[in-house]
Amino acid sequence: MDKLKRRRGGALVLLLAALPLLLAARPVAAAGEAAAQRPRIGLVLSGGGARGGAHLGVLKVLQELRVPVDVIVGTSAGSIIGAAYASGMPLDELEADLRPLNTALLFRDVRRDDLSMRGKAEEQYNYIGPEVGLTPEGIALPKGAVSGVALEAVLRQLTARQKHPEFDRLPIRFRAVATDLGTAEMVVLDRGNLTAAVRASMALPAAVNPVEIDGRLLVDGGVSRNLPVDVARALGAQVIIAVNIGTPLQTRDQIQSLLGVTDQMMRIVTVQNTQQSLKELGPDDILIGPELGTLGTADFDRLLEAAAAGERAARAVAPALQRHSVGEAQYAQWEWQRMSLQPGYTRVNAVNVSGTRVVNPEVVRAMLRLQPGGTFDAEELDADLRRLYATGDFESVSYALGEQTDGGTTVSVQATEKSWGPTYLRVGLGLSSDFSGNAYFNLLLAHRRTWLNPLGAEWRNELQTGRIDRLSTEWFQPLNIRRNVFLSAQGEARREPFDLFADGQRVARFRRDETAARLQAGLAFSDWAELRAGLVRGRVRLGTDTSTVPGELLLPTVDTGGMEARLRLDTLDSLGFARRGQALDLRYFESRPNFGADLRYEKLDLAWRGAASRQAHTLRAAFYASRAREGDLPEHELVPLGGFLRLSGYQTGELLGTRAQLARLVYAYRLSGPGLLQGMELGLSAEAGRVRDVLQDPDHRGTLRSHAAYLAVDTPVGPLYLGVGVSASGSSAAYLFLGLP
């Protein structure tokens, strides 16, 4: 609503500015006559990632000096600013839209808010490396580290004024430069969807997925022409204003890693073709080279800092720019014509879905709130596309608008399925060490086969080895087109350690072996709420590991079975570095002999977490409880406590009981903000718990208290924690932990 008011206000200002011209009955053709009396000016904006904010500062000076532009050609970041300006976006609105942008917003394609409850549950695993496809030809990899879905949403906002597919029909003639990945040729994009053209122009190889346009696979234009002076000249520009923001080469000492070598190779390519373009500038042309210092291509949090550098550089050549200045009335008319197009809020006549091969297009339509007969809402559709992409089925999702003769609009949603699907593999890893000889790891291999029928059935298998050995399989079957009603059939076998401690030292280890089969029906109320209920049947036995006492003497084999119900709510923005939201997991289990169980009892499990933040400060709270509804639980229903943030002063699994409670409060201070990763933080915790211990160790009775201090950093292989915990009784433990605690 604020943006709409701003647009209306801008239109009123333009109308008032143009009113004297209209009253004077000066024809629109006067602009063309005036242009004929001055040289045609071409603005060439180079690529450079976040350094492209400098282009905004240059445009500000050109506007202040009343220098009209006839042609704009942009590469990569230059195409973003150039397309928005050429399509008529007011400069102050462009600056306002760029102000909140940051690396996390632009290059994090999936926000946790957009995941379904099923997707959120998967995040408990610490996956490392990319998801890969399993095809008849072998292993298939994604084409880029990120898809660019979040980036496209920003680009659509900046290019919303496009009304015609020909870029010559924009208020200022525009060209975006990309590179054909198959031939290495420069590709000059002069028509089509402006968002797609800009997206292709800045698809940095290996970082952002390429874009297919007219059968060509396109990547960043900086590979072939980072400063496309010749393209502007071919469009008839007589005077070139070239803004070079290209990233300079690193010195020998700055190249310290494989990533540094890769980055340098890209810089070499762009620097070489930029040097060639600079030779094409003539004596009447103007070169602007902002001093951007250490500002890197990925520093999108510093866009406005780059804009200030661009403004300073443009003012430094102000005398040369002023030679092309025009009078106030002439510039006002030029500016009025540039901003004459306004983004439309029109009736939607039709919604088309294309690009699907395996995915049912009706399922895609069901995920869109936009329906024929409704009013087009760009923000709502962008949110729907993010949720669509978060399903994990698509390589990219985008849309284009088409005007119809009756004034309505056709919305065409392009959903491109993953070329490496629909069978996927992922690898997960968890590590833990207490620096006292106790080290654990868990290695996970997850297999997922999707879209086994038109409703989107999925078969998932997991194999884990390490501290916990586990083999599981699940058939997940949606029952309707919206996929919010489903059946789940699961089978699992797991073996985990059962340790006995005395005076803080492990004295024996057993292995708890459990098998279980489940059949559940479920209902997803939304992307943050799910209810499941069904039957479970299994067996629990205790095996011997390092103990001299056989496990079956300590815990006889028990058959289990009964009914269970589980309610899950989850609005957390992150599992490892949560700053807002909460999560609830409530499970009720009734063990019944008529379902094969040896014992009859009822059990309640509750887990709750919440987080709230203010600037760099975050408070996180958690509460866990496991108990019988009435009486006591049998001994095979053991709950372990102890370990990092689970009474941190005690060793992992040191406390065992059939009834347990844990409360935790954590204060975290963010040391560095999120970018491509979540950043870094310092944390302090206060933890309190109670365990009804099987061994009735007097040291473990009553309320147990612990405190912990830790440093956490998000890494490409998952969250890494380095911490120390101390209990009120004086015991302590240190932790190096990779994964989610």
Side-chain angles (χ1 to χ4, degrees), residues 3 6-7 84 87 89 93-94 96-98 100-101 105 150-162 195 343 378-379 382 399:
K3 185 174 288 187
R6 188 170 62 197
R7 288 168 177 158
S87 61
M89 193 173 203
E93 187 175 327
L94 176 56
D97 285 350
L98 291 178
L101 298 186
L105 178 64
L151 177 62
E152 280 196 28
V154 174
L155 298 180
R156 280 192 292 269
Q157 180 180 336
L158 298 178
T159 59
R161 287 164 173 75
Q162 183 186 16
T195 299
E379 292 185 3
D382 281 335
Y399 71 87

Side-chain angles (χ1 to χ4, degrees), residues 87 291 470-471 584 609 613 625 700:
S87 61
E291 292 291 337
R470 182 170 62 88
L471 176 64
L584 172 70
R609 288 179 291 171
S613 297
H700 295 163

Side-chain angles (χ1 to χ4, degrees), residues 110-125 367 387 390-392 458 460 474 476 482-486 522-532 566-573 575 582-586 607 609:
V110 177
R111 300 185 309 189
R112 200 165 186 273
D113 293 344
D114 300 322
L115 291 170
S116 66
M117 286 298 292
R118 185 170 173 80
K120 289 174 180 176
E122 263 195 72
E123 286 203 321
Q124 65 182 301
Y125 304 118
M367 293 188 68
R387 289 191 303 110
T391 62
E458 178 176 307
R460 181 179 180 86
E474 179 193 18
F476 179 80
R482 297 183 64 85
R483 299 201 296 177
N484 60 339
V485 181
F486 58 86
L523 174 64
F525 299 103
S526 66
D527 289 338
W528 54 270
E530 178 187 275
L531 176 65
R532 294 188 180 204
R566 187 177 185 186
L567 174 66
R568 295 178 58 241
L569 311 174
D570 192 341
T571 61
L572 289 173
D573 62 337
L575 284 185
Q582 55 184 319
L584 172 70
D585 191 343
L586 179 62
R609 288 179 291 171

Side-chain angles (χ1 to χ4, degrees), residues 205-501:
V208 182
N209 280 355
V211 178
E212 185 173 346
I213 296 179
D214 296 333
R216 287 183 159 189
L217 204 58
L218 304 180
V219 295
D220 196 298
V223 175
S224 57
R225 195 81 85 253
N226 201 45
L227 189 67
V229 172
D230 56 336
V231 178
R233 198 83 76 188
L235 292 173
Q238 297 166 301
V239 172
I240 301 292
I241 300 175
V243 186
N244 181 23
I245 59 160
T247 309
L249 295 177
Q250 300 181 88
T251 64
R252 168 65 182 83
D253 294 337
Q254 291 175 316
I255 305 173
Q256 299 290 337
S257 65
L258 176 62
L259 292 177
V261 173
T262 304
D263 180 44
Q264 183 77 337
M265 292 297 294
M266 186 65 185
R267 295 188 188 203
I268 290 172
V269 171
T270 57
V271 166
Q272 286 180 340
N273 69 59
T274 297
Q275 291 298 325
Q276 180 60 41
S277 295
L278 290 174
K279 295 177 182 178
E280 298 169 2
L281 294 175
D284 295 328
D285 299 327
I286 301 170
L287 176 63
I288 301 175
E291 292 291 337
L292 294 166
T294 61
L295 201 151
T297 57
D299 293 333
F300 286 92
D301 306 73
R302 301 170 65 186
L303 279 172
L304 296 185
E305 182 181 332
E311 183 177 345
R312 289 192 299 269
R315 294 194 188 284
V317 296
L321 294 173
Q322 284 176 326
R323 292 199 299 266
H324 305 290
S325 178
V326 298
E328 290 185 11
Q330 184 177 343
Y331 189 80
Q333 186 172 2
W334 177 85
E335 185 79 335
W336 178 78
Q337 287 181 318
R338 185 182 75 83
M339 294 190 289
S340 59
L341 296 180
Q342 293 294 320
Y345 295 85
T346 58
R347 183 184 73 257
V348 176
N349 287 358
V351 178
N352 301 323
V353 175
S354 61
T356 59
R357 298 176 293 104
V358 177
V359 177
N360 185 348
E362 295 304 317
V363 172
V364 176
R365 286 192 181 90
M367 293 188 68
L368 303 176
R369 287 169 288 181
L370 180 65
Q371 298 296 326
T375 301
F376 176 74
D377 186 326
E379 292 185 3
E380 181 180 80
L381 185 53
D382 281 335
D384 287 345
L385 293 189
R386 286 198 305 268
R387 289 191 303 110
L388 187 61
Y389 179 79
T391 62
D393 296 319
F394 301 100
E395 185 171 340
S396 66
V397 288
S398 60
Y399 71 87
L401 303 180
E403 290 188 348
Q404 296 186 341
T405 55
D406 62 356
T409 297
T410 296
V411 179
S412 298
V413 175
Q414 175 71 27
T416 303
E417 295 174 13
K418 290 178 176 177
S419 58
W420 58 96
T423 303
Y424 308 99
L425 294 176
R426 292 213 70 174
V427 175
L429 178 65
L431 298 173
S432 176
S433 173
D434 63 4
F435 301 101
S436 299
N438 296 315
Y440 310 107
F441 81 95
N442 286 306
L443 180 64
L444 172 71
L445 178 65
H447 162 269
R448 185 166 64 98
R449 174 67 168 90
T450 63
W451 287 96
L452 291 159
N453 57 40
L455 289 178
E458 178 176 307
W459 183 34
R460 181 179 180 86
N461 301 284
E462 295 176 355
L463 174 62
Q464 179 175 303
T465 186
R467 183 173 187 267
I468 299 177
D469 297 327
R470 182 170 62 88
L471 176 64
S472 69
T473 185
E474 179 193 18
W475 181 278
F476 179 80
Q477 178 62 65
L479 298 179
N480 62 354
I481 204 72
R482 297 183 64 85
R483 299 201 296 177
N484 60 339
V485 181
F486 58 86
L487 290 176
S488 172
Q490 307 169 47
E492 181 180 59
R494 64 186 291 139
R495 171 177 291 179
E496 56 187 316
F498 176 97
D499 294 337
L500 297 183
F501 287 81

Side-chain angles (χ1 to χ4, degrees), residues 27-188:
V28 175
E33 295 171 2
Q37 297 171 6
R38 61 177 177 81
R40 291 178 57 79
I41 297 176
L43 180 62
V44 178
L45 305 177
S46 79
R51 297 162 69 92
H55 297 318
L56 189 65
V58 172
L59 288 174
K60 181 178 180 180
V61 174
L62 292 179
Q63 188 177 68
E64 181 183 309
L65 298 178
R66 301 191 304 276
V67 178
V69 176
D70 303 289
V71 171
I72 297 179
V73 181
T75 292
S76 195
S79 70
I80 300 178
I81 305 295
Y85 193 73
S87 61
M89 193 173 203
L91 196 56
D92 59 344
E93 187 175 327
L94 176 56
E95 181 177 0
D97 285 350
L98 291 178
R99 187 180 300 275
L101 298 186
N102 53 58
T103 304
L105 178 64
L106 289 174
F107 294 104
R108 191 170 296 159
D109 286 325
V110 177
R111 300 185 309 189
R112 200 165 186 273
D113 293 344
D114 300 322
L115 291 170
S116 66
M117 286 298 292
R118 185 170 173 80
K120 289 174 180 176
E122 263 195 72
E123 286 203 321
Q124 65 182 301
Y125 304 118
N126 185 49
Y127 288 121
I128 59 174
E131 172 192 73
V132 301
L134 188 62
T135 69
E137 292 77 27
I139 297 294
L141 297 172
K143 300 184 183 75
V146 297
S147 168
V149 170
L151 177 62
E152 280 196 28
V154 174
L155 298 180
R156 280 192 292 269
Q157 180 180 336
L158 298 178
T159 59
R161 287 164 173 75
Q162 183 186 16
K163 300 293 184 183
H164 195 277
E166 300 290 340
F167 295 173
D168 284 341
R169 300 280 293 273
L170 295 173
I172 301 176
R173 295 179 71 194
F174 174 74
R175 298 292 186 269
V177 173
T179 303
D180 188 321
L181 191 58
T183 65
E185 296 175 337
M186 176 180 70
V187 177
V188 179

Side-chain angles (χ1 to χ4, degrees), residues 1 154 620 726:
M1 182 62 71
V154 174
R620 302 187 186 111
V726 179

